[in-house]
């Protein structure tokens, strides 16, 4: 079965890419070979005067390279050769004797976009599914089929670096504006227009657009001037280093490849591209990012219950209890997904503030022009407010986001249950209280579960769904399915205090507090953990989450897990002082009236340190203590069955609590350090800090049996 169909439209040859047995087209070695065959055919047949490349898949062009093939590389040289082979195919395409038009509808990613760059003319559809990107950096790689060379030549250096260094995708309109495509049309006429353009190009009645068109005059001046380019490269490198703290080698390699092409010509640039691609493919960073890619893909297919999974009920209407920070955020993302939302709070003023917050969540998308004014208005209309349970009677799902107080949560649940359908799902957004305890007040505990969103709801990618022994499978699959409809990465965990994410994060933050008890300096603790790869340090995070919230969580967890989770003195004292962190304008750090963080507030030391001198501490020790506290707690969660798999634990930590993605997650991290080494380090720490750091029994068992969480080679999940 062939991946390319040939159709003639008189003198224009249409190549339809339709890889058999797959829902999408991926660029594989086989597809590359078939493409070479097609090109040879064109060269042999003088009656072909032009060519169009289009996809046979319903909503995508080419989604990128087949990432599974990347796992087969054993040496840098293998990966570099694969890149070179891809480059050669596309070089031949670029040098073909006839003009080639790419007709793009749907995702056009990575190698797919690189292929289009090697053709004469690109048309895309104006459909929302049409997205163009070179996302390789997100896998720790760079475009390896000439993208680092052709992209800047087509759209200018700055725009190309922006796409390449972030991996972000652009929609059709933006692509047209950048000069990434030459034309944008309605999907219904894509192929006809492409064929017409191909013929015009062959006749000479149309010329391909001038290269660098999207860059503007200043952009072009910069690109063509040695000194200007040097500035762009230097600034880009500085930005990358600030953003990545040097943890991600791929953006720097992309810069080098682009640079080589500009200064020494395309052939040299391609050589550098292939060499760097090879190098990157063998780095642990890339392996971990590829693992996360596979893990999230596998997770998307997981219904969240053991098979057989019942069908998920559709959620057309959502009730939200509590129009505060989280409630409004949830209402906002629900409206964006097209759900009708009833938002309930205790008084009209609070409801009003909640609705205003919803407006600003949806408004952010309007400001970024990812929705139109009409869509903005339509989405706002989906949300209405109330101080009673009017309009809850036909809700499919109710999410409770009232204050973190068990009595209140019981009261609210008792109140709302009679007002909703018996088959409606009831979810609490609590971040710590066991769902089983909340469900004690329920007449229908089988409909109760947790949907733990993270703040801010519209930006944080994770949703932790928490199920009790009583929760019905159907309620679980409905919550998981709806979470995905909201665009979230969803993990399902079993019930327990702090579930998975709050519990592991607390173990980590608590250890940071212990470091303060031992006179470490606040900014040093934060700095070393940011250097390890967390997006912000633990003390800054505590200010962000709210010190009062941290205090409550600490209490619940220390009651549940005893001395292992006893809150640090530092935390207890700052909680007692009434400081709440950023939201209250006063925490471990100073905040201005706009909430912008300043330096450490020295007066906080009077609270926590009794005037003692802050002592420098070895960075390695601080990092080890905080991260191993987290990793060990994650192992406890797996051992107790809170987690369904190491995969869920890794994804939850990376997407929910900021575990460095290039380290894969707690379980991948244990595998990479070696289980023996982790146990040894935990035992050493336990000897010094008992009762903390006692290795989870699971880790001891695994060390004895010399087991890993993931296979050492091949596809990780
Ligand atoms: P918030 O204080 O901003 O909002 C709570 C809202 O609930 C208030 O507007 C309050 O008036 C309302 N409320 C109180 N009693 C009510 C009742 N009987 N009926 C309807 N509404 C009522 O609190 P926030 O931060 O939104 O937290 C809500 C829940 O989400 C808590 O359980 C919290 O633990 C959880 N959570 C909070 C996160 C955060 O970062 N803030 C993250 C994840 C979960």
């Amino acid at each position: 079965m062939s991946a390319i169909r040939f159709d003639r439209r008189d003198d224009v040859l249409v190549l339809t890419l339709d890889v058999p047995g797959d829902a999408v087209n991926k660029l594989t070695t086989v597809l590359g070979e078939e493409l070479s065959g097609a090109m040879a055919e064109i060269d042999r047949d003088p009656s072909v005067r032009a060519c169009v490349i289009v996809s046979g898949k319903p909503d995508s062009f080419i989604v990128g390279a087949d990432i599974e093939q990347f796992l087969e590389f054993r040496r840098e040289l293998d990966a570099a050769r694969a890149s070179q082979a891809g480059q050669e195919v596309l070089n031949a395409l670029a040098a073909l004797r006839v003009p080639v038009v790419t007709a793009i509808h749907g995702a056009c990613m990575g190698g797919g976009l690189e292929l289009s760059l090697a053709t004469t003319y690109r048309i895309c559809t104006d459909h929302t599914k049409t997205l163009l990107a070179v996302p390789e950096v997100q896998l720790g790689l760079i475009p390896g089929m000439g993208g680092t060379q052709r992209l800047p030549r087509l759209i200018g250096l700055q725009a190309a670096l922006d796409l390449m260094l972030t991996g972000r995708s652009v929609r059709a309109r933006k692509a047209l504006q950048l000069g990434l495509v030459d034309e944008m049309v309605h999907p219904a006429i894509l192929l006809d227009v492409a064929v017409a353009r191909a013929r015009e190009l062959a006749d000479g009645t149309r010329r391909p657009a001038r290269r660098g068109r999207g860059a503007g005059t200043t952009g072009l001046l910069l690109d063509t001037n040695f000194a200007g380019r040097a500035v762009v490269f230097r600034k880009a490198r500085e930005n990358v280093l600030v953003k990545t703290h040097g943890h991600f080698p791929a953006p720097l390699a992309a810069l080098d490849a682009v640079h080589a092409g500009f200064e020494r010509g395309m052939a040299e640039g391609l050589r550098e591209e292939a060499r760097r691609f090879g190098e990157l493919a063998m780095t642990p960073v890339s392996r971990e990012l590829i693992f996360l890619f596979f893990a999230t893909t596998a997770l998307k297919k997981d219904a969240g219950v053991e098979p057989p999974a019942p069908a998920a009920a559709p959620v057309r209407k959502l009730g939200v209890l509590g129009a505060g920070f989280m409630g409004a955020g949830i209402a906002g993302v629900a409206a964006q997904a097209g759900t009708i939302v009833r938002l309930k709070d205790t008084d009209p003023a609070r409801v009003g503030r909640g609705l205003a917050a919803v407006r600003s969540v949806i408004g952010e998308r309007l400001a970024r022009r990812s929705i139109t004014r009409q869509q903005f208005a339509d989405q706002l209309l989906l949300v209405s407010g109330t101080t009673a349970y009017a309009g809850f009677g036909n809700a499919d799902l109710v999410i409770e986001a009232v204050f973190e107080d068990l009595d209140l949560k019981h009261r609210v649940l008792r109140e709302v249950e009679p007002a909703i359908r018996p088959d409606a799902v009831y979810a609490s957004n609590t971040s710590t209280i066991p769902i089983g305890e909340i469900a004690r007040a329920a007449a229908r505990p089988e409909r109760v579960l947790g949907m733990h969103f993270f703040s801010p709801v519209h930006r944080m990618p994770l949703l932790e769904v928490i199920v009790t022994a009583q929760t019905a499978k159907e309620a679980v699959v409905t919550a998981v399915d709806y979470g995905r409809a909201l665009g979230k990465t969803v993990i399902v965990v079993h019930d327990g205090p702090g579930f998975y994410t709050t519990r592991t994060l607390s173990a980590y933050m608590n250890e940071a507090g212990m470091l303060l008890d031992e006179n470490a300096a606040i900014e040093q603790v934060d700095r070393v953990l940011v250097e390890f790869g967390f997006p912000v340090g633990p003390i800054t995070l505590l200010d962000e989450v709210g010190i009062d919230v941290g205090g409550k969580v600490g209490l619940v967890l220390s009651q549940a897990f005893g001395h292992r989770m006893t809150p640090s003195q530092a935390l207890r004292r700052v909680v007692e002082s009434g400081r709440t962190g950023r939201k209250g304008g006063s925490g471990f750090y100073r905040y201005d009236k706009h909430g912008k963080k300043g330096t450490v507030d020295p007066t906080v030391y009077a609270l926590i340190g009794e005037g003692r001198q802050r002592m420098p501490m070895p960075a390695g020790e601080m990092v080890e203590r905080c991260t191993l506290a987290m990793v060990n707690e994650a192992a406890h969660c797996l051992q107790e069955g809170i987690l369904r798999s190491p995969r869920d634990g890794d994804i939850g930590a990376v997407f929910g609590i900021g575990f460095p993605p290039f380290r894969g997650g707690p379980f991948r991290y244990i595998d990479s350090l070696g289980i023996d080494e982790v146990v040894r380090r935990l035992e050493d720490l336990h000897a010094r800090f008992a009762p903390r750091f006692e290795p989870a029994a699971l880790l001891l068992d695994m060390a004895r049996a010399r087991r890993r969480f993931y296979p050492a080679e091949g596809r990780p999940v």
Side-chain angles (χ1 to χ4, degrees):
M1 283 240 280
S2 161
I4 305 183
R5 281 200 306 273
F6 291 66
D7 299 295
R8 281 299 284 264
R9 294 241 188 147
D10 299 328
D11 50 354
V12 178
L13 177 68
V14 177
L15 302 181
T16 304
L17 310 183
D18 197 350
V19 175
D22 209 334
V24 292
N25 289 318
K26 292 176 196 144
L27 272 185
T28 55
T29 331
V30 175
L31 185 57
E33 281 162 9
E34 284 197 32
L35 201 57
S36 299
M39 291 190 282
E41 191 63 38
I42 293 171
D43 269 334
R44 268 197 299 273
D45 184 351
S47 71
V48 176
R49 292 182 59 240
C51 173
V52 168
I53 301 180
V54 68
S55 161
K57 303 297 182 195
D59 278 322
S60 65
F61 178 68
I62 295 175
V63 296
D66 182 0
I67 295 161
E68 248 169 277
Q69 289 196 338
F70 294 172
L71 296 174
E72 286 159 22
F73 302 139
R74 289 286 162 272
R75 300 170 307 162
E76 289 181 6
L77 196 61
D78 303 336
R81 284 208 180 119
S83 159
Q84 240 163 16
Q87 289 175 351
E88 279 160 20
V89 174
L90 296 191
N91 285 347
L93 183 64
L96 208 61
R97 98 185 144 73
V98 301
V100 183
V101 174
T102 321
I104 303 165
H105 171 64
C108 176
M109 303 281 172
L113 186 58
E114 293 180 278
L115 178 146
S116 81
L117 295 175
T119 64
T120 327
Y121 196 88
R122 285 153 297 281
I123 309 179
C124 76
T125 67
D126 55 6
H127 200 274
T128 47
K129 290 214 166 125
T130 296
L131 288 172
L132 298 91
V134 271
E136 287 82 353
V137 283
Q138 292 169 358
L139 296 178
L141 298 168
I142 56 174
M145 287 190 276
T148 64
Q149 307 304 307
R150 292 196 179 93
L151 191 61
R153 283 172 177 76
L154 181 67
I155 64 170
L157 188 52
Q158 273 176 312
L161 289 182
D162 173 43
L163 293 187
M164 244 183 284
L165 302 185
T166 60
R168 74 189 178 88
S169 48
V170 291
R171 291 180 192 281
R173 195 167 298 279
K174 181 75 181 171
L176 184 66
Q177 195 190 340
L178 289 174
L180 193 54
V181 296
D182 301 278
E183 203 172 338
M184 180 174 81
V185 299
H186 189 276
I189 56 168
L190 176 67
L191 187 56
D192 290 341
V193 175
V195 170
R197 295 296 175 261
R199 201 165 282 135
E200 289 162 18
L201 287 161
D203 292 344
T205 54
R206 177 175 294 266
R207 305 206 158 276
R210 200 161 44 82
R211 305 260 137 174
R213 179 168 57 90
T217 326
T218 349
L220 281 182
L221 272 178
L222 275 179
D223 290 9
T224 47
N225 156 324
F226 176 79
R229 281 201 304 266
V231 173
V232 175
F233 280 115
R234 186 164 44 78
K235 281 251 167 295
R237 186 170 293 272
E238 280 169 14
N239 283 343
V240 166
L241 286 172
V242 167
K243 282 206 189 114
T244 64
H245 295 272
H247 288 306
F248 293 88
L252 296 176
L255 277 171
D256 290 344
V258 175
H259 192 254
F262 264 94
E263 306 312 331
R264 290 181 271 139
M266 176 116 169
E268 272 303 314
L270 287 172
R271 244 194 299 284
E272 181 69 2
E273 178 185 277
R275 190 178 73 76
R276 300 306 288 270
F277 181 89
E279 229 173 68
L280 291 167
M282 301 314 290
T283 55
V285 171
S286 174
R287 293 278 145 153
E288 295 311 332
L289 296 176
I290 288 177
F291 154 74
L292 282 174
F293 174 80
F294 281 123
T296 31
T297 312
L299 193 61
K300 280 184 196 144
K301 295 183 193 134
D302 181 346
V305 295
E306 299 318 309
V315 176
R316 296 194 187 91
K317 183 162 183 185
L318 172 72
V320 178
L321 301 172
F325 186 55
M326 295 302 285
I330 294 166
V333 295
Q336 281 168 350
T339 318
I340 302 168
V341 186
R342 280 297 266 175
L343 184 58
K344 193 245 170 203
D345 209 302
T346 45
D347 63 71
R350 284 178 192 256
V351 174
R353 279 201 295 277
L355 290 174
V358 171
R359 192 186 175 87
S360 83
V361 166
I362 303 178
E364 259 188 40
R365 281 187 138 186
L366 177 66
R368 272 192 281 115
R369 303 226 195 119
S370 36
I371 52 170
T372 62
R373 278 205 163 276
Q374 186 59 51
Q375 285 170 313
F376 172 70
D378 290 347
Q379 290 176 2
L380 269 189
L381 274 180
L382 292 172
V383 189
S384 60
T386 173
T387 53
Y389 294 107
F392 272 66
N394 56 354
D396 305 291
L397 168 69
V398 172
I399 301 179
E400 167 272 305
V402 301
F403 302 127
E404 188 78 336
D405 176 300
L406 183 58
D407 289 340
L408 175 64
K409 289 195 191 277
H410 278 166
R411 205 167 69 232
V412 164
L413 174 51
R414 283 196 197 98
E415 264 173 33
V416 78
E417 250 188 346
I420 59 177
R421 283 199 330 250
D423 64 336
V425 176
Y426 182 92
S428 173
N429 179 51
T430 170
S431 46
T432 330
I433 306 174
I435 301 302
E437 284 188 28
I438 295 177
R440 269 199 275 122
R444 297 185 289 272
E446 69 282 4
R447 311 304 298 171
V448 178
L449 44 73
M451 283 177 87
H452 179 204
F453 289 87
F454 293 74
S455 103
V457 180
H458 61 296
R459 294 220 192 93
M460 291 294 286
L462 191 76
L463 169 66
E464 187 178 29
V465 168
I466 303 120
V467 304
T468 71
Q470 288 175 290
T471 313
K473 269 186 171 186
E474 199 252 323
V476 182
V477 294
T478 299
V480 169
D481 191 62
Y482 187 59
R484 279 189 200 130
L486 299 181
K488 301 298 173 200
T489 298
V490 189
I491 59 168
V492 174
V493 304
H494 291 109
D495 196 21
F499 329 120
Y500 169 64
T501 52
T502 305
R503 179 170 161 188
T504 42
L505 184 65
S506 297
Y508 157 84
M509 286 173 54
N510 207 28
E511 196 55 32
M514 296 294 178
L515 294 174
L516 298 188
D517 286 355
E518 291 169 42
N519 300 326
I522 293 170
E523 59 275 64
Q524 201 202 354
V525 174
D526 273 350
R527 193 178 55 244
V528 296
L529 286 150
V530 168
E531 277 163 11
F532 178 78
F534 282 92
V536 294
I539 315 290
T540 300
L541 188 58
L542 193 52
D543 266 4
E544 285 291 321
V545 172
I547 296 169
D548 52 334
V549 176
K552 280 191 197 161
V553 172
L555 210 62
V556 173
L557 295 184
S558 67
Q559 278 164 3
F561 302 110
H563 293 305
R564 189 167 92 226
M565 291 277 212
T566 302
S568 63
Q569 279 197 30
L571 177 63
R572 269 183 290 167
R573 292 204 178 131
V574 180
V575 171
E576 280 160 18
S577 78
R579 292 187 188 208
T580 57
R582 189 161 75 93
K583 64 185 172 191
S586 161
F588 289 90
Y589 287 85
R590 286 201 178 109
Y591 296 88
D592 71 13
K593 60 177 186 297
H594 307 292
K596 194 168 175 306
K597 184 178 144 206
T599 48
V600 168
D601 181 350
T603 62
V604 84
Y605 283 127
L607 291 172
I608 65 175
E610 294 159 342
R612 280 175 299 176
Q613 209 43 58
R614 292 289 122 185
M615 305 290 282
M617 231 188 241
E621 175 170 340
M622 292 199 275
V623 167
E624 182 168 286
R625 282 174 56 181
C626 293
T627 54
L628 288 189
M630 177 186 261
V631 158
N632 196 31
E633 204 56 43
H636 277 289
C637 289
L638 187 61
Q639 171 187 318
E640 292 166 23
I642 298 283
L643 281 173
R644 293 166 69 230
S645 64
R647 175 201 74 189
D648 291 0
D650 284 337
I651 292 199
V654 170
F655 293 107
I657 57 182
F659 194 91
F662 58 91
R663 300 188 194 274
F667 298 102
R668 293 285 293 184
Y669 186 54
I670 296 175
D671 274 356
S672 72
L673 289 178
I675 187 91
D676 287 346
E677 179 64 18
V678 171
V679 167
R680 189 188 62 72
R681 290 190 198 178
L682 281 169
E683 279 170 345
D684 286 352
L685 290 170
H686 184 53
R688 289 169 61 197
F689 303 108
R692 306 199 311 282
F693 295 109
E694 185 175 1
L698 173 74
L699 295 180
L700 295 174
D701 289 348
M702 287 183 62
R704 250 178 258 120
R706 305 194 163 278
R707 276 174 44 218
R708 301 169 48 96
F709 290 104
Y710 297 95
E713 302 246 312
R715 204 189 153 117
V717 276

